[in-house]
Amino acid sequence: MKKILIGVSVCFWCFCARSEPVCDAGTCNKQAYWDSSLNTFVGCGTEDNKCTCINAQSGTTTYTCGCYSKNDCNNYDDGWDCVNNKCYKCKTCSNCTSTDWTAGNTGYQKRTLKTCGCTTGVCSSKTEYRCAAGYYGSSTNGTSGCYRCPSSGGVYGTSEPGSTSITKCYIPANSKMSDSSGSYTFTSNCYYSN
């Protein structure tokens, strides 16, 4: 006589846990993202500065929230910004492009920096200054603050435009120099050292 064993399997799971945002005020400080399955924003990122939390068990809860940087608002697209702890879909400005750097006074470069106001849509501009190649430092007026790179063996050092430290100055490779010890050629860039 054959015995037949019948196994019975019982599942005691109460519910299936879903990966969903925790619904609390802390969620408001997270980056916003568009949840296509829920067809809504989750996190801080709407123009009325609300944080919507979706939870399958408890439903929908909305908090008023704040942002601390552009990164808290721009995960949906880069047209958002954080102004006075509120996320805004930025307005656009016409003819609001900064100019390229051009030569200014000796040792200086300048450009017109234009910025579009996110909430106003008004373009503001100011002149910005930096040190030219072969100089180092910083300047707010285009007439002071930049210094020529030092020389060695009769050859002045150079630097990239915008260099702020003397350690960015260097004698270029293949420069021929001479001093009291004789003549020589650098085989690689030789940077200034304090």
Side-chain angles (χ1 to χ4, degrees):
M1 180 178 185
K2 293 185 178 177
K3 291 184 178 179
I4 299 174
L5 297 175
I6 299 173
V8 178
S9 141
V10 180
C11 179
F12 292 102
W13 291 101
C14 296
F15 60 89
C16 180
R18 292 174 59 188
S19 175
E20 304 199 32
V22 176
C23 197
D24 58 30
T27 307
C28 293
N29 297 327
K30 304 296 183 184
Q31 292 183 341
Y33 64 93
W34 180 259
D35 189 321
S36 57
S37 64
L38 300 171
N39 200 34
T40 186
F41 273 109
V42 177
C44 178
T46 56
E47 198 163 328
D48 60 359
N49 213 42
K50 300 293 183 183
C51 163
T52 302
C53 300
I54 309 296
N55 187 293
Q57 283 74 44
S58 61
T60 302
T61 304
T62 301
Y63 292 99
T64 300
C65 61
C67 55
Y68 298 96
S69 72
K70 181 176 181 178
N71 287 338
D72 292 332
C73 307
N74 72 353
N75 258 13
Y76 179 56
D77 66 53
D78 61 7
W80 293 78
D81 205 350
C82 180
V83 181
N84 297 326
N85 299 112
K86 292 188 74 173
C87 293
Y88 290 93
K89 175 70 174 175
C90 290
K91 297 180 179 177
T92 57
C93 298
S94 59
N95 192 25
C96 198
T97 303
S98 299
T99 63
D100 291 330
W101 290 99
T102 59
N105 292 317
T106 302
Y108 297 86
Q109 290 183 331
K110 62 182 180 179
R111 71 170 178 176
T112 301
L113 180 66
K114 294 187 176 183
T115 307
C116 183
C118 177
T119 60
T120 63
V122 174
C123 184
S124 60
S125 66
K126 68 175 183 178
T127 303
E128 192 174 40
Y129 302 94
R130 71 177 184 182
C131 299
Y135 291 77
Y136 69 94
S138 61
S139 179
T140 58
N141 56 18
T143 59
S144 64
C146 292
Y147 307 93
R148 189 171 185 182
C149 288
S151 64
S152 177
V155 176
Y156 276 98
T158 189
S159 63
E160 297 299 319
S163 295
T164 57
S165 170
I166 192 173
T167 57
K168 299 294 184 182
C169 293
Y170 63 93
I171 303 293
N174 301 315
S175 295
K176 297 184 180 193
M177 310 172 64
S178 61
D179 58 21
S180 58
S181 63
S183 298
Y184 47 93
T185 301
F186 282 117
T187 57
S188 62
N189 293 342
C190 180
Y191 283 84
Y192 183 91
S193 177
N194 288 328

